Amino acid sequence: MTATYDAVADAVTVPAFPVQATATAEQVGGRGGSGRPAAIEAIVVRIDARDPISEAGVRMQLRSRPEIQIARPGQPAAVVVAVTDAVDEETTHWLCGLHRADGLPVVLVSGRVDGRALSALVEAGVRGVLRRPDATAERLVSAVRAAAAGHGDLPPELLRQLLDHLAGLNRQVLNPRGYSFSGLTERERTVLQLLAEGLSTREVAVRLSYSERTIKTVIQDLTLRLQLRNRTQAVAYALRNGWI
């Protein structure tokens, strides 16, 4: 069983470039039994591998799937499928380059994946990870679909390692400095919560026993750091991202 998680580091919406393909209802798991072609949207996928044999293997797995179209040279894609033997620093740089080239999410197929490298992979645009023995056509399609939709796909044990790593980061690095994963201090979060409740700057200052000048400084620092225009936009931004 594979766990699915929402991508944390990616707030950017990845553009999809679907093309129309046809398949029978039986091919796409539909019912009706008429056997007549049913229109489906195929996700255009670009395949990049460190060696031609690995690339040929993934191409063979995906070529027969109506949900996937392998991109032709120069054709825009929605997802990159990257294939490698193992993940090291050089591989991470390579993956980062694949992601940054067109801003596309990456599905990684690798012989070995160290859970300690997952945070670096997420930063490199990887949204799905499959070990080679698990990279069946069905699993590849599932991971590609998740990546195209802005989600992620990790084996359960790797997801657990990633969560353990994030918990350790929060406990050992962020909390001692008064920060959280949102990048807000506890005071900044409290100020935003009170502003969201409709309190004025003066009322927030009275509630927290700070000077009004201090509260204005907190708001100014927030808007500058988040590149926002005013406190109203800061509150809306925090609400939208689930920070308050």
Side-chain angles (χ1 to χ4, degrees), residues 119 159-177 179-181:
S119 58
L159 177 59
R160 184 173 58 252
Q161 291 179 48
L162 176 62
L163 293 176
D164 288 344
H165 172 75
L166 293 176
L169 179 65
N170 187 54
R171 184 174 58 254
Q172 299 169 17
V173 179
L174 298 180
N175 281 346
R177 292 167 173 80
Y179 284 93
S180 64
F181 282 118

Side-chain angles (χ1 to χ4, degrees), residues 194-241:
L194 293 175
L195 291 175
E197 293 173 8
L199 273 67
S200 67
T201 304
R202 181 183 296 277
E203 290 169 332
V204 171
V206 171
R207 178 77 64 88
L208 299 180
S209 300
Y210 290 122
S211 68
E212 187 174 359
R213 181 176 180 180
T214 297
I215 299 303
K216 288 181 178 179
T217 299
V218 169
I219 297 170
Q220 183 180 26
D221 289 345
L222 266 173
T223 55
L224 288 174
R225 190 167 75 244
L226 299 176
Q227 299 181 344
L228 302 172
R229 290 191 298 272
N230 49 49
R231 74 176 198 174
T232 301
Q233 196 175 47
V235 170
Y237 188 85
L239 288 169
R240 188 165 59 248
N241 285 280

Side-chain angles (χ1 to χ4, degrees), residues 30-242:
R31 298 183 181 181
S34 66
R36 290 178 294 182
I40 63 171
E41 286 190 344
I43 301 171
V44 181
V45 170
R46 191 175 79 235
I47 301 174
D48 284 275
R50 306 305 293 269
D51 67 89
I53 295 178
S54 297
E55 181 174 345
V58 172
R59 283 182 178 274
M60 183 175 66
Q61 291 276 51
L62 293 178
R63 189 172 290 130
S64 62
R65 299 297 301 231
E67 310 98 318
I68 303 295
Q69 178 181 332
I70 298 174
R72 300 182 299 274
Q75 181 182 11
V79 177
V80 178
V81 176
V83 192
T84 185
D85 285 329
V87 176
D88 52 23
E89 186 175 352
E90 182 183 351
T91 301
T92 303
H93 285 307
W94 172 65
L95 292 169
C96 193
L98 294 179
H99 172 61
R100 289 179 177 173
D102 299 300
L104 301 179
V106 177
V107 172
L108 174 65
V109 179
S110 178
R112 299 188 304 278
V113 181
D114 188 339
R116 292 172 296 182
L118 284 177
S119 58
L121 293 179
V122 170
E123 290 181 10
V126 173
R127 297 295 174 262
V129 177
L130 296 175
R131 293 190 175 93
R132 283 196 179 187
D134 303 325
T136 63
E138 196 67 36
R139 286 292 296 113
L140 280 167
V141 170
S142 177
V144 166
R145 279 176 165 171
H151 304 303
D153 193 321
L154 285 178
E157 65 276 14
L158 290 183
L159 177 59
R160 184 173 58 252
Q161 291 179 48
L162 176 62
L163 293 176
D164 288 344
H165 172 75
L166 293 176
L169 179 65
N170 187 54
R171 184 174 58 254
Q172 299 169 17
V173 179
L174 298 180
N175 281 346
R177 292 167 173 80
Y179 284 93
S180 64
F181 282 118
S182 66
L184 301 180
T185 65
E186 189 60 35
R187 182 169 66 176
E188 289 172 338
R189 182 184 288 105
T190 302
V191 168
L192 286 173
Q193 287 174 334
L194 293 175
L195 291 175
E197 293 173 8
L199 273 67
S200 67
T201 304
R202 181 183 296 277
E203 290 169 332
V204 171
V206 171
R207 178 77 64 88
L208 299 180
S209 300
Y210 290 122
S211 68
E212 187 174 359
R213 181 176 180 180
T214 297
I215 299 303
K216 288 181 178 179
T217 299
V218 169
I219 297 170
Q220 183 180 26
D221 289 345
L222 266 173
T223 55
L224 288 174
R225 190 167 75 244
L226 299 176
Q227 299 181 344
L228 302 172
R229 290 191 298 272
N230 49 49
R231 74 176 198 174
T232 301
Q233 196 175 47
V235 170
Y237 188 85
L239 288 169
R240 188 165 59 248
N241 285 280

